[in-house]
Amino acid sequence: MIKRLLIVVAAIATALTTALAQPNSQTQQIAKFVSGNTNIQVQFYSPSIVRVLKTPVNKPYSPKSLVVIREPEKTPVKIHRNGDLFIMASSAIKVMVNNKSGRIAFYNAAGKQLLIDSTTSFLPKDDAGKPSYTVKGSFVLQSKEPIYGIGQIMDNKFNRRGSSLQLKNENMSTYSPYFMSVLGYGVYWDNYSISNFTDKPGELAFESLGHCADYYFMYGGNADGVIKQVRKLSGQAPMLPLWAYGFFQSRERYKTQDESINVLKKYRELRVPIDVIIQDWRYWPEYKGTDSAWNSQLFDTERFPRPKQWVDEIHKLNAKLMIVTWPGFGPKTDQRKELDSKNMIINFDTWPPNSGARPYDVYNPAALDIYWKYLNKRIFSYLGNDGWWLDSTEPDHINVKDADFDLPTHLGSYRSVKNAFSFMHNGGIATHQKQTSKNKRVVLLTRSGFIGQQRFGSNTWSGDVTSSWDMLQKQIPAALNYTLMGIPNWNSDIGGFFAGGWNDGGGAKNPGFQELYLRWMQFGAFCPMMRSHGTDIPREIYNFGKPGDWCFDGQQKMINLRYRLLPYNYSTAWDVSKNDGTFMRPLIMDFAADSACYEIGNEYLFGRSLLVSPVTKPDVKNWPVYLPKGADWLDFWTGEKLNGGQTINKEVPKDIIPVYVKAGSILPWGPAVQYTGEKAWDNLELRIYPGANGSFNFYEDEKDNYNYEKGFYSTIEFHWDDANKQLTIGARKGKFPGMISLRRFKISVVKPGMNIGMGDNNTVKTVEYTGKKLIVKI
């Protein structure tokens, strides 16, 4: 009979015997067990987070997490024993370990069972010549319990029950071994290898390469609470600069410095707002007509003869510049030569084909230093660009051979750490830039991601997706599941990347592509980053027509709407950073009590007030929208008030996306501008959507530096009392250099038939505000 031993950490045998004999209140946060051939350690990191670590007996292993940066906090834990059951309880959760079977059950404080960890197996596995294991952890969920997360998956599913997936980060597929339940808990399996996730009746399982099973159980009570715990473990999302919420224009690619300057000038001439121009690949010199100098981070002297002047001119046009940089280097680059000499290259071929380019070892801290050394000297400190486009961060793998995954990295075989490539690459650049300058917030646009990447200011895009209605539809549930991993910033190429199939009909003049592009732009206006990009067909607004043409006007309308929502979006960004909020909020976040929301992945709340239902099919006159139970809703465009708990058919001419505002919302409406910093917010409209009480926390700071981390910002709390038709504008809290001392608020209460939507002239009362509390009767 196998001997099973229970050990409480830091206790000698006599103390252990006493503790088990007297099940009273104790403060131990760690318990260790031996069950069969497995060592089990259960540790409370906080009242709401428990770490479980399992290893084979006589094979101790102490992993150091790349993702988890939180140290365990002192947590009162009550411990007692009931036969074979060992019970540890905090104020939020209870963990029950069966000392015979090793089975672990998790409960909330009220005693409701949430999850069972049923079995863990270790199958010996050769890992590039070193002994390791295929580790499988199996869990039992309730039979009809919806779960979400896992990553950005292009299969048009929202609820991930019944999924069977290989977790291998590639272009368009971005995974993390994590799921969240509608019951208010989440599980992060702390492993970076190519893994498998399977959910079938009676078993949800992760299967990975490694030396241990290491996971975190997090209880938050609801989706917001789980995301808060994820960020407590892996880091908060920093504030992005205000300009990051403007409009981005890109293409594959601007070939000269004059070409991108002329694009900006054309936008300014047409009075279409824009904040960012992006420089894609091959701005660097070629080497004898080849790509062997790929990603040298130098500028071709013929096409970009005066790069500093180029960047300065972009800034004079009141725009920002984002520049692409890749993780792979051609063999003729200085970076490659230095990295090769120090064994800091992973020796497989990456993009572009036949170039000899290979990725650097992002897992090596010294390699991250070298990468930044060149990037800083040749671009950031020299040119003063504003953000980075980090392409191919999976990275691309050309002529794939299974042996490539056995290649060594600083942290082990490439197979064992592949999924963390983007995380490490983003982290290296973000950390180095912030150490170099506190005057520019880090902005990263990246093609892949991993849980925890939110702490680097990363904004993941969905990859090189095709320009099709089917792909547009798939973007929405993919984005929602991705953001439920705690990473708030996501976007896609507006119009899709590969658009060659539309060229036969006239490209940007093809009415079919125009409709797809406009509908995609409507979706993009309600994403954390609004960015036009693609190949085959240039996407600048003037390629689609001229003012007065339906496609041009429809685009301009959406871009203008994006800029009018800047005060709302920037305040939402503060909610994301300060309160662990989420930009793209699946309906299950705010309406978990409404089971009709469990499978709805094609609409969402943008911030806490705006319900968005993008149109994802061509030639439709009406679009079905489910309005969740538990709130009343007002049509953003018409003011019509509707009850929740019903599906309505919204009339959707090509220039209208269904948007509904939750009753009780207070929406700060910004001025019409051509770029984010053009006008001060000293004369804002406050749109009140009646039908319930509500509040909004209005945030301001210096817009683009890290002084907010030192407390240099201000907030104003608005509160609407619906019964008394009274708006309270709270006393301003905080201050920062350049803060507006006197401002006007134009207050409007939305009613059916009003000139709302994009209209102004809704004011029913104007008040002056000096920072002191005001009560306004409507």
Side-chain angles (χ1 to χ4, degrees):
M1 183 175 182
I2 299 173
K3 183 179 180 181
R4 298 177 176 88
L5 176 65
L6 170 66
I7 307 169
V8 177
V9 166
I12 61 175
T14 55
L16 172 62
T17 303
T18 302
L20 293 180
Q22 299 177 9
N24 54 9
S25 178
Q26 301 181 30
T27 58
Q28 289 95 337
Q29 294 177 227
I30 308 175
K32 289 185 178 181
F33 311 81
V34 177
S35 180
N37 294 317
T38 303
N39 288 316
I40 304 172
Q41 176 177 297
V42 178
Q43 180 178 14
F44 275 77
Y45 263 52
S46 75
S48 301
I49 301 174
V50 173
R51 180 189 184 190
V52 176
L53 176 64
K54 301 182 183 181
T55 57
V57 167
N58 299 322
K59 296 289 183 180
Y61 189 72
S62 299
K64 181 173 176 56
S65 182
L66 301 175
V67 168
V68 175
I69 57 176
R70 184 185 183 89
E71 295 294 332
E73 66 181 65
K74 186 175 182 180
T75 304
V77 178
K78 294 181 179 180
I79 300 175
H80 69 277
R81 185 179 184 183
N82 184 2
D84 290 325
L85 297 179
F86 187 77
I87 302 161
M88 305 174 73
S90 70
S91 59
I93 50 180
K94 180 170 65 175
V95 182
M96 190 177 296
V97 184
N98 187 305
N99 191 40
K100 282 189 176 181
S101 67
R103 191 177 177 98
I104 304 173
F106 299 89
Y107 301 79
N108 65 14
K112 179 180 176 60
Q113 182 176 292
L114 302 170
L115 178 70
I116 295 173
D117 170 354
S118 57
T119 60
T120 302
S121 63
F122 295 89
L123 180 66
K125 172 78 174 177
D126 179 88
D127 179 19
K130 295 182 179 179
S132 187
Y133 297 92
T134 298
V135 185
K136 181 179 179 181
S138 298
F139 301 87
V140 179
L141 282 66
Q142 296 180 18
S143 61
K144 295 183 179 180
E145 174 186 346
I147 62 168
Y148 311 95
I150 305 299
Q152 171 195 279
I153 305 163
M154 301 295 180
D155 62 0
N156 212 27
K157 283 186 66 175
F158 181 46
N159 180 359
R160 298 311 319 178
R161 292 307 299 267
S163 297
S164 182
L165 302 161
Q166 184 185 45
L167 309 186
K168 181 183 178 185
N169 285 349
E170 302 286 1
N171 186 359
M172 299 185 288
S173 299
T174 300
Y175 301 102
S176 292
Y178 159 91
F179 70 91
M180 170 194 289
S181 168
V182 77
L183 298 180
Y185 72 86
V187 172
Y188 166 51
W189 178 264
D190 196 9
N191 187 287
Y192 325 112
S193 72
I194 300 169
S195 302
N196 292 310
F197 169 82
T198 306
D199 179 65
K200 58 185 180 182
E203 181 189 49
L204 179 150
F206 291 109
E207 191 174 46
S208 304
L209 176 66
H211 299 277
C212 62
D214 188 5
Y215 71 86
Y216 295 82
F217 176 89
M218 299 162 285
Y219 183 67
N222 54 33
D224 273 306
V226 175
I227 287 175
K228 183 179 287 290
Q229 302 309 321
V230 169
R231 295 194 192 145
K232 280 185 177 180
L233 270 181
S234 60
Q236 286 183 297
M239 285 292 291
L240 300 185
L242 180 64
W243 60 260
Y245 302 101
F247 177 66
F248 291 57
Q249 183 63 63
S250 178
R251 74 162 71 160
E252 192 276 302
R253 59 191 162 101
Y254 297 122
K255 296 179 180 179
T256 69
Q257 66 181 62
D258 289 341
E259 189 174 16
S260 55
I261 291 291
N262 289 334
V263 169
L264 279 174
K265 288 180 177 178
K266 187 70 172 176
Y267 269 81
R268 295 288 180 241
E269 176 187 327
L270 290 167
R271 297 199 59 75
V272 176
I274 186 171
D275 259 81
V276 185
I277 197 82
I278 302 178
Q279 181 57 53
D280 203 348
W281 62 7
R282 290 195 170 109
Y283 54 81
W284 46 79
E286 292 183 343
Y287 181 82
K288 297 182 179 180
T290 72
D291 280 318
S292 57
W294 181 265
N295 195 37
S296 67
Q297 298 160 352
L298 294 168
F299 287 82
D300 182 84
T301 55
E302 292 186 8
R303 294 178 292 111
F304 294 84
R306 297 172 299 280
K308 185 68 173 71
Q309 180 183 322
W310 169 58
V311 178
D312 290 345
E313 192 166 354
I314 289 172
H315 289 161
K316 287 176 183 176
L317 288 165
N318 298 301
K320 307 294 183 182
L321 174 65
M322 179 174 275
I323 297 180
V324 78
T325 184
W326 291 62
F329 294 102
K332 299 298 183 182
T333 60
D334 296 330
Q335 296 95 321
R336 172 68 175 277
K337 292 172 184 176
E338 180 173 355
L339 291 162
D340 255 333
S341 72
K342 298 176 179 178
N343 295 318
M344 296 177 183
I345 288 291
I346 308 175
N347 284 306
F348 64 81
D349 292 333
T350 189
W351 189 269
N354 306 313
S355 67
R358 293 186 171 181
Y360 79 116
D361 186 354
V362 297
Y363 310 100
N364 189 326
L368 297 175
D369 292 342
I370 292 169
Y371 193 98
W372 177 254
K373 177 180 70 175
Y374 287 96
L375 194 64
N376 180 44
K377 181 179 179 181
R378 295 183 174 184
I379 301 181
F380 185 68
S381 288
Y382 168 47
L383 296 181
N385 65 303
D386 306 284
W388 305 104
W389 184 351
L390 307 184
D391 209 339
S392 185
T393 54
E394 308 86 17
D396 280 304
H397 195 155
I398 308 298
N399 303 317
V400 180
K401 301 181 288 292
D402 188 65
D404 292 344
F405 297 102
D406 293 332
L407 290 168
T409 76
H410 184 71
L411 294 180
S413 72
Y414 180 54
R415 189 191 314 273
S416 70
V417 291
K418 173 181 167 47
N419 284 345
F421 193 100
S422 177
F423 178 88
M424 299 300 293
H425 183 50
N426 277 254
I429 292 172
T431 302
H432 281 96
Q433 180 181 317
K434 191 172 180 182
Q435 289 170 349
T436 302
S437 172
K438 296 290 176 63
N439 293 322
K440 286 187 176 183
R441 297 178 195 167
V442 176
V443 179
L444 305 177
L445 173 62
T446 180
R447 201 176 71 180
S448 189
F450 197 79
I451 191 168
Q453 196 162 298
Q454 73 279 349
R455 71 176 184 251
F456 304 130
S458 301
N459 197 314
T460 301
W461 96 92
S462 58
D464 299 340
V465 299
T466 56
S467 301
S468 69
W469 289 98
D470 177 66
M471 187 55 78
L472 171 58
Q473 188 177 52
K474 290 176 179 177
Q475 300 302 291
I476 305 169
L480 299 183
N481 273 311
Y482 187 75
T483 61
L484 283 174
M485 298 196 307
I487 308 176
N489 296 314
W490 181 95
N491 71 107
S492 63
D493 293 346
I494 290 176
F497 182 71
F498 289 111
W502 297 96
N503 269 321
D504 289 345
K509 298 296 195 297
N510 182 328
F513 181 68
Q514 288 184 332
E515 184 181 8
L516 172 65
Y517 185 80
L518 179 54
R519 291 302 192 191
W520 209 312
M521 178 163 278
Q522 291 168 356
F523 169 50
F526 294 95
C527 290
M529 181 181 286
M530 185 183 189
R531 182 184 58 88
S532 169
H533 178 68
T535 192
D536 304 314
I537 299 173
R539 311 298 171 84
E540 296 81 13
I541 189 171
Y542 46 80
N543 291 298
F544 292 85
K546 61 184 184 304
D549 294 339
W550 67 268
C551 189
F552 183 102
D553 289 353
Q555 290 182 56
Q556 188 175 31
K557 180 178 183 175
M558 285 300 104
I559 296 171
N560 279 327
L561 175 57
R562 176 74 171 194
Y563 280 79
R564 303 305 292 268
L565 288 172
L566 277 173
Y568 174 81
N569 290 345
Y570 201 54
S571 297
T572 297
W574 175 244
D575 179 50
V576 168
S577 183
K578 178 67 173 178
N579 303 316
D580 297 307
T582 299
F583 265 108
M584 301 177 76
R585 301 175 60 81
L587 301 187
I588 57 110
M589 293 193 76
D590 296 276
F591 301 96
D594 184 354
S595 60
C597 298
Y598 292 175
E599 303 290 337
I600 297 177
N602 64 341
E603 58 184 74
Y604 57 96
L605 266 67
F606 189 65
R608 297 183 186 270
S609 299
L610 303 177
L611 189 152
V612 183
S613 182
V615 177
T616 57
K617 292 182 179 179
D619 302 319
V620 294
K621 295 181 178 179
N622 296 283
W623 190 251
V625 181
Y626 180 71
L627 302 176
K629 188 188 305 179
D632 291 333
W633 301 91
L634 289 87
D635 189 314
F636 174 79
W637 303 104
T638 68
E640 180 187 8
K641 188 175 179 182
L642 298 157
N643 296 326
Q646 63 171 323
T647 297
I648 56 96
N649 283 307
K650 170 65 178 173
E651 210 176 316
V652 284
K654 289 185 175 66
D655 67 333
I656 291 292
I657 175 175
V659 179
Y660 291 84
V661 188
K662 186 165 60 175
S665 295
I666 303 166
L667 194 66
W669 186 249
V673 292
Q674 294 301 298
Y675 55 93
T676 51
E678 184 182 19
K679 295 178 183 177
W681 293 347
D682 57 352
N683 198 6
L684 295 181
E685 180 184 348
L686 299 179
R687 294 187 175 181
I688 298 167
Y689 292 79
N693 295 336
S695 61
F696 186 84
N697 196 25
F698 176 63
Y699 173 85
E700 292 179 290
D701 63 16
E702 294 175 84
K703 302 181 179 65
D704 190 5
N705 59 40
Y706 285 99
N707 287 342
Y708 76 91
E709 293 183 340
K710 303 173 184 177
F712 292 99
Y713 63 85
S714 72
T715 59
I716 304 171
E717 186 79 21
F718 305 131
H719 178 76
W720 172 248
D721 180 336
D722 196 63
N724 294 308
K725 299 296 181 282
Q726 178 175 292
L727 177 69
T728 300
I729 303 175
R732 183 175 53 223
K733 297 178 181 179
K735 60 181 180 180
F736 60 91
M739 184 176 70
I740 297 168
S741 58
L742 173 65
R743 70 195 329 149
R744 289 181 177 83
F745 288 121
K746 298 178 292 184
I747 301 165
S748 61
V749 179
V750 172
K751 297 178 182 178
M754 286 181 63
N755 177 26
I756 54 173
M758 292 297 294
D760 291 306
N761 305 317
N762 304 317
T763 305
V764 294
K765 185 169 285 191
T766 299
V767 296
E768 288 192 346
Y769 179 76
T770 61
K772 296 181 180 180
K773 179 178 177 181
L774 283 178
I775 296 177
V776 185
K777 287 278 191 179
I778 304 298

Short mmCIF file of all heavy atoms in Angstrom, two decimals, residues 54 116-121 136-140 189 202-206:
data_model
loop_
_atom_site.label_atom_id
_atom_site.label_comp_id
_atom_site.label_asym_id
_atom_site.label_seq_id
_atom_site.Cartn_x
_atom_site.Cartn_y
_atom_site.Cartn_z
N LYS A 54 2.59 20.68 -8.98
CA LYS A 54 2.72 19.23 -8.88
C LYS A 54 3.98 18.77 -9.62
O LYS A 54 4.27 19.26 -10.72
CB LYS A 54 1.50 18.52 -9.47
CG LYS A 54 0.18 18.88 -8.83
CD LYS A 54 -0.96 18.09 -9.45
CE LYS A 54 -2.31 18.48 -8.88
NZ LYS A 54 -3.42 17.69 -9.46
N ILE A 116 -13.13 21.11 -10.11
CA ILE A 116 -12.41 19.98 -9.53
C ILE A 116 -11.18 19.71 -10.38
O ILE A 116 -11.26 19.58 -11.60
CB ILE A 116 -13.29 18.72 -9.47
CG1 ILE A 116 -14.47 18.93 -8.52
CG2 ILE A 116 -12.48 17.50 -9.05
CD1 ILE A 116 -15.47 17.79 -8.53
N ASP A 117 -10.02 19.64 -9.73
CA ASP A 117 -8.78 19.16 -10.33
C ASP A 117 -8.78 17.65 -10.07
O ASP A 117 -8.57 17.20 -8.95
CB ASP A 117 -7.59 19.86 -9.68
CG ASP A 117 -6.24 19.26 -10.06
OD1 ASP A 117 -6.21 18.23 -10.74
OD2 ASP A 117 -5.21 19.84 -9.66
N SER A 118 -9.02 16.87 -11.13
CA SER A 118 -9.25 15.44 -10.92
C SER A 118 -7.97 14.62 -10.95
O SER A 118 -7.70 13.85 -10.02
CB SER A 118 -10.24 14.90 -11.96
OG SER A 118 -9.76 15.17 -13.27
N THR A 119 -7.16 14.76 -12.00
CA THR A 119 -5.94 13.96 -12.11
C THR A 119 -4.85 14.74 -12.81
O THR A 119 -5.11 15.66 -13.59
CB THR A 119 -6.19 12.66 -12.92
OG1 THR A 119 -6.63 13.01 -14.25
CG2 THR A 119 -7.22 11.77 -12.25
N THR A 120 -3.61 14.34 -12.54
CA THR A 120 -2.45 14.88 -13.25
C THR A 120 -1.52 13.71 -13.56
O THR A 120 -1.26 12.87 -12.69
CB THR A 120 -1.70 15.91 -12.40
OG1 THR A 120 -2.59 16.96 -12.04
CG2 THR A 120 -0.53 16.50 -13.17
N SER A 121 -1.05 13.65 -14.80
CA SER A 121 -0.15 12.56 -15.18
C SER A 121 1.15 13.11 -15.74
O SER A 121 1.19 14.22 -16.31
CB SER A 121 -0.81 11.65 -16.22
OG SER A 121 -1.07 12.37 -17.42
N LYS A 136 -0.06 16.25 -18.19
CA LYS A 136 -1.48 16.43 -18.48
C LYS A 136 -2.23 16.71 -17.19
O LYS A 136 -2.16 15.92 -16.23
CB LYS A 136 -2.06 15.20 -19.17
CG LYS A 136 -3.54 15.35 -19.52
CD LYS A 136 -4.07 14.10 -20.22
CE LYS A 136 -5.55 14.24 -20.56
NZ LYS A 136 -6.08 13.02 -21.21
N GLY A 137 -2.91 17.83 -17.16
CA GLY A 137 -3.76 18.17 -16.02
C GLY A 137 -5.21 18.14 -16.43
O GLY A 137 -5.60 18.81 -17.39
N SER A 138 -6.02 17.36 -15.72
CA SER A 138 -7.43 17.19 -16.07
C SER A 138 -8.33 17.80 -14.99
O SER A 138 -8.08 17.64 -13.80
CB SER A 138 -7.77 15.70 -16.21
OG SER A 138 -7.01 15.12 -17.26
N PHE A 139 -9.37 18.48 -15.45
CA PHE A 139 -10.30 19.16 -14.57
C PHE A 139 -11.73 18.74 -14.91
O PHE A 139 -12.03 18.34 -16.04
CB PHE A 139 -10.18 20.68 -14.72
CG PHE A 139 -8.81 21.22 -14.42
CD1 PHE A 139 -7.83 21.28 -15.40
CD2 PHE A 139 -8.49 21.66 -13.14
CE1 PHE A 139 -6.56 21.77 -15.12
CE2 PHE A 139 -7.23 22.16 -12.85
CZ PHE A 139 -6.25 22.21 -13.85
N VAL A 140 -12.61 18.85 -13.93
CA VAL A 140 -14.02 18.53 -14.13
C VAL A 140 -14.83 19.81 -13.92
O VAL A 140 -14.72 20.45 -12.86
CB VAL A 140 -14.51 17.44 -13.16
CG1 VAL A 140 -16.00 17.17 -13.37
CG2 VAL A 140 -13.70 16.17 -13.36
N TRP A 189 -2.75 27.99 -16.63
CA TRP A 189 -1.78 26.89 -16.63
C TRP A 189 -0.45 27.49 -17.06
O TRP A 189 -0.27 27.85 -18.21
CB TRP A 189 -2.29 25.83 -17.60
CG TRP A 189 -1.49 24.60 -17.84
CD1 TRP A 189 -0.61 24.39 -18.86
CD2 TRP A 189 -1.54 23.38 -17.11
NE1 TRP A 189 -0.10 23.13 -18.81
CE2 TRP A 189 -0.65 22.47 -17.73
CE3 TRP A 189 -2.23 22.95 -15.98
CZ2 TRP A 189 -0.46 21.17 -17.27
CZ3 TRP A 189 -2.04 21.66 -15.53
CH2 TRP A 189 -1.16 20.78 -16.16
N GLY A 202 -16.98 15.45 -19.22
CA GLY A 202 -16.32 14.90 -18.05
C GLY A 202 -14.87 15.28 -17.87
O GLY A 202 -14.27 14.96 -16.84
N GLU A 203 -14.27 15.98 -18.85
CA GLU A 203 -12.85 16.31 -18.71
C GLU A 203 -12.47 17.53 -19.54
O GLU A 203 -12.72 17.59 -20.75
CB GLU A 203 -11.96 15.14 -19.14
CG GLU A 203 -10.47 15.43 -18.98
CD GLU A 203 -9.58 14.37 -19.60
OE1 GLU A 203 -9.81 14.00 -20.78
OE2 GLU A 203 -8.65 13.91 -18.91
N LEU A 204 -11.87 18.50 -18.87
CA LEU A 204 -11.15 19.60 -19.55
C LEU A 204 -9.68 19.40 -19.22
O LEU A 204 -9.32 19.22 -18.05
CB LEU A 204 -11.64 20.96 -19.06
CG LEU A 204 -10.97 22.19 -19.66
CD1 LEU A 204 -11.95 23.37 -19.69
CD2 LEU A 204 -9.71 22.61 -18.90
N ALA A 205 -8.81 19.44 -20.24
CA ALA A 205 -7.41 19.10 -19.99
C ALA A 205 -6.45 20.02 -20.73
O ALA A 205 -6.72 20.44 -21.87
CB ALA A 205 -7.14 17.65 -20.38
N PHE A 206 -5.35 20.34 -20.05
CA PHE A 206 -4.18 20.93 -20.68
C PHE A 206 -3.10 19.85 -20.74
O PHE A 206 -2.91 19.09 -19.78
CB PHE A 206 -3.65 22.12 -19.87
CG PHE A 206 -4.53 23.33 -19.88
CD1 PHE A 206 -5.22 23.71 -18.73
CD2 PHE A 206 -4.66 24.11 -21.02
CE1 PHE A 206 -6.02 24.83 -18.73
CE2 PHE A 206 -5.48 25.23 -21.03
CZ PHE A 206 -6.16 25.60 -19.88
#
